Amino acid sequence: MTETTDTAARWSLAIHGGAGAMTPEIMDAAMAAEYEAALATALEAGAAVLRDGGSALDAVSAAVSALEDDPHFNAGRGAVFTYHGTNELDAAIMDGRNRAAGAVSAVTRTRNPVQLARVVMEQGPHVFLAGAGAEEFARDHGMAEVDPAWFATAERRCQLDEFKSRKDGWFDADLKFGTVGAVARDANGDLAAATSTGGLTGKRWNRIGDSPVIGAGTYADNRACAVSCTGTGEVFIRVGVAHEIAARMRLAGEDVATATRAVLGEVGHLGGVGGIIAVDAEGTLTHAFNTNGLYRGFADHTGRAEVGIFGPA
């Protein structure tokens, strides 16, 4: 846990790169080291902002952008393929100061969807844009675009081919949730959260999970906490996971760790799996997962900087 001193310089940051069915038996030391290095790079991108007195909003945007650019994770470059062989990207960001939020879904050309979500929040009249409309908004606001092929990787294509060769239905039963996210508390005491994903391998019909849904996969409120989730999106939406954690803290007086574990327990009761990272108004970081592992990292004003995959949930 993060120290909760009264120093004005107190800040804290948590990131995640998804939860899933990975195990130490199938992930050798070299592969684990690759993921840990990628997590460390993204963690430092966000920590550097906070260390220099920057905002929580800038920190989560920097960390998630770094994760989107890294093909190890299911967001941005390296996103999974839809059933029809395309990459459809979703992202959301939220400012705990005033509960301003922005979200995008089914974008195919914006290099960093989390940055587009922030522009939607700060420069648009709406909270949530999707598909061609979101892409038009991105062009109107000068967002960096790439050819859709930039997001594609050979590994993700193989995963789609393997998925389509099955005879056991359309849902990705392997439960490799590579969604990425970050939560932060800055030295001013402000909170922010951001989440980005490529969704599920083989998804159809413009399926949208919890990541871009404010209150489900992403939420930030200075009165309680900032939360980013990864997992069975349909269940996380039904539970309203991120908002539920904040509500339990505000209305029932639960601490962030208790609320997070209780809500993840509810997800599990409904048959869902995944992971959660959260930070409260004092800068206390917590995480929980009910899968084999959660790609994660934590940093704060004390010099803490650590990443992990397995270990205690």
Side-chain angles (χ1 to χ4, degrees):
M1 295 295 183
T2 304
E3 287 186 3
T4 54
T5 65
D6 291 329
T7 174
R10 185 173 70 244
W11 58 265
S12 53
L13 169 73
I15 66 171
H16 72 78
M22 61 280 197
T23 66
E25 290 73 29
I26 62 174
M27 176 177 280
D28 62 27
M31 182 181 295
E34 283 187 22
Y35 277 93
E36 289 172 350
L39 289 166
T41 296
L43 186 67
E44 175 55 24
V49 172
L50 296 168
R51 196 181 300 120
D52 290 341
S55 71
L57 202 60
D58 285 343
V60 298
S61 180
V64 171
S65 293
L67 291 164
E68 287 176 335
D69 286 341
D70 193 305
H72 285 89
F73 304 103
N74 174 22
R77 186 163 186 260
V80 299
F81 283 90
T82 69
Y83 188 84
H84 298 293
T86 60
N87 304 110
E88 294 178 355
L89 313 174
D90 308 333
I93 194 167
M94 190 163 183
D95 187 340
R97 294 174 296 182
N98 56 6
R99 283 171 283 166
V104 295
S105 183
V107 297
T108 61
R109 290 184 174 272
T110 301
R111 173 168 175 155
N112 290 108
V114 71
Q115 295 178 23
L116 176 55
R118 183 169 181 178
V119 174
V120 169
M121 176 180 71
E122 295 179 335
Q123 301 183 40
H126 308 300
V127 170
F128 202 162
L129 303 180
E135 303 278 19
E136 179 184 0
F137 184 89
R139 289 191 295 273
D140 289 346
H141 289 79
M143 299 297 296
E145 285 193 340
V146 293
D147 186 287
W150 188 85
F151 299 112
T153 62
E155 180 181 1
R156 297 302 192 191
R157 174 66 72 177
C158 287
Q159 289 174 359
L160 176 65
D161 292 343
E162 190 270 338
F163 168 83
K164 293 179 77 170
S165 70
R166 299 174 188 163
K167 306 299 182 184
D168 57 354
W170 55 269
F171 193 77
D172 183 6
D174 281 350
L175 302 175
K176 300 184 184 75
F177 302 114
T179 294
V180 306
V183 297
R185 190 263 195 197
D186 62 33
N188 291 322
D190 295 322
L191 305 179
T195 313
S196 182
T197 190
L200 291 175
T201 297
K203 65 182 181 180
R204 301 177 71 176
W205 314 301
N206 292 121
R207 177 264 185 191
I208 300 169
D210 64 302
S211 297
V213 179
I214 302 302
T218 308
Y219 197 71
D221 183 346
N222 275 11
R223 299 174 299 172
C225 61
V227 181
S228 178
C229 306
T230 176
T232 313
E234 285 70 17
V235 178
F236 276 68
I237 291 171
R238 289 160 54 200
V239 174
V241 168
H243 182 271
E244 184 78 357
I245 291 169
R248 292 178 74 115
M249 291 179 65
R250 287 198 304 113
L251 304 178
E254 294 181 353
D255 62 73
V256 66
T258 299
T260 297
R261 293 182 181 281
V263 176
L264 184 59
E266 187 174 348
V267 168
H269 180 72
L270 294 177
V273 297
I276 303 168
I277 56 171
V279 61
D280 70 11
E282 299 302 317
T284 304
L285 298 169
T286 196
H287 73 285
F289 57 94
N290 62 358
T291 55
N292 291 333
L294 174 70
Y295 298 111
R296 59 195 185 272
F298 307 98
D300 65 27
H301 66 282
T302 68
R304 176 187 186 187
E306 61 187 53
V307 297
I309 302 174
F310 303 107

